[in-house]
Amino acid sequence: MIKLIAARYKMEYKLLKLFNHNKKTKAYLNEGLKLLEGKVEKLPEEIVFRPSFITQSSCVKIFDKLYLFISKANLSKSPEEKFDALFHEIGHWLHFQNLPSVVERKTIWKNVNIEKIKKDVSEYAVSKNDGLEFIPEVFKGLIKGKVFDNYIMSLYDKLKGPKVK
């Protein structure tokens, strides 16, 4: 089953890669990646765009391969939100390269203050019971200049969130 899923993502990635780099997507990527330049140690070399009607962006890790998909719907968002999905998914991409085990993540997550995270980070940050959405949500906030308190940053470090300079 997992091999079938891996084949599906590989095929979707290759297909989208053929058709989706136009002036608008190139400009979006250049601008978004420039905002990240110097703030993280490395950036993905390949990002593909899904059509606008697929509003979900995602970063998927199957075996040792990472697939990063951004919805073209982000290109028309307001300047304040335009790169949120890109930053969030690159947060996943970076985290997946140093990801603690599921058991370790769940052990850390079982004692967190959910209400504080909802208030200080976002509702979406607590949508998984293992911190998997917490890391990219904090990462996105850090990239956008948000300052988090010691509780949030300590949790981010325990879950091996990517370093932001």
Side-chain angles (χ1 to χ4, degrees), residues 3-109:
K3 286 184 180 182
L4 190 60
I5 293 168
R8 177 222 170 227
Y9 279 109
K10 184 176 183 178
M11 184 61 71
E12 179 184 2
Y13 205 76
K14 283 183 176 185
L15 186 63
L16 289 174
K17 197 173 165 183
L18 291 173
F19 297 106
N20 69 29
H21 286 296
N22 59 38
K23 283 183 181 181
K24 282 186 177 181
T25 58
K26 284 180 183 178
Y28 174 89
L29 271 183
N30 287 338
E31 189 179 347
L33 294 176
K34 188 171 182 156
L35 293 169
L36 290 164
E37 240 174 48
K39 293 184 180 181
V40 295
E41 291 207 14
K42 69 183 198 179
L43 291 169
E45 292 179 18
E46 289 188 310
I47 298 172
V48 299
F49 287 85
R50 286 182 168 146
S52 296
F53 66 85
I54 301 174
T55 58
Q56 175 97 20
S57 295
S58 61
C59 183
V60 180
K61 183 176 184 178
I62 306 264
F63 301 121
D64 63 343
K65 182 71 177 157
L66 291 167
Y67 300 99
L68 211 154
F69 301 93
I70 302 298
S71 170
K72 285 184 181 179
N74 292 289
L75 277 65
S76 59
K77 287 187 175 179
S78 70
E80 300 81 33
E81 296 179 333
K82 186 175 186 175
F83 298 108
D84 285 1
L86 179 70
F87 297 160
H88 178 97
E89 298 310 335
I90 288 177
H92 275 302
W93 184 85
L94 290 165
H95 192 219
F96 285 162
Q97 296 175 51
N98 192 30
L99 191 65
S101 72
V102 175
V103 172
E104 188 178 348
R105 290 192 320 267
K106 285 187 176 191
T107 300
I108 293 166
W109 195 254

Side-chain angles (χ1 to χ4, degrees), residues 83-157:
F83 298 108
D84 285 1
L86 179 70
F87 297 160
H88 178 97
E89 298 310 335
I90 288 177
H92 275 302
W93 184 85
L94 290 165
H95 192 219
F96 285 162
Q97 296 175 51
N98 192 30
L99 191 65
S101 72
V102 175
V103 172
E104 188 178 348
R105 290 192 320 267
K106 285 187 176 191
T107 300
I108 293 166
W109 195 254
K110 72 180 178 182
N111 296 314
V112 300
N113 183 336
I114 297 291
E115 292 307 312
K116 178 171 179 45
I117 294 169
K118 282 182 185 178
K119 181 178 157 274
D120 293 356
V121 182
S122 72
E123 293 265 340
Y124 195 67
V126 298
S127 63
K128 299 266 169 80
N129 68 350
D130 61 358
L132 210 52
E133 294 301 339
F134 170 81
I135 294 298
E137 284 293 287
V138 172
F139 177 81
K140 174 182 74 177
L142 292 170
I143 294 299
K144 292 178 78 173
K146 187 168 183 179
V147 176
F148 295 101
D149 66 18
N150 287 338
Y151 178 81
I152 298 297
M153 291 312 298
S154 174
L155 183 55
Y156 185 80
D157 290 340

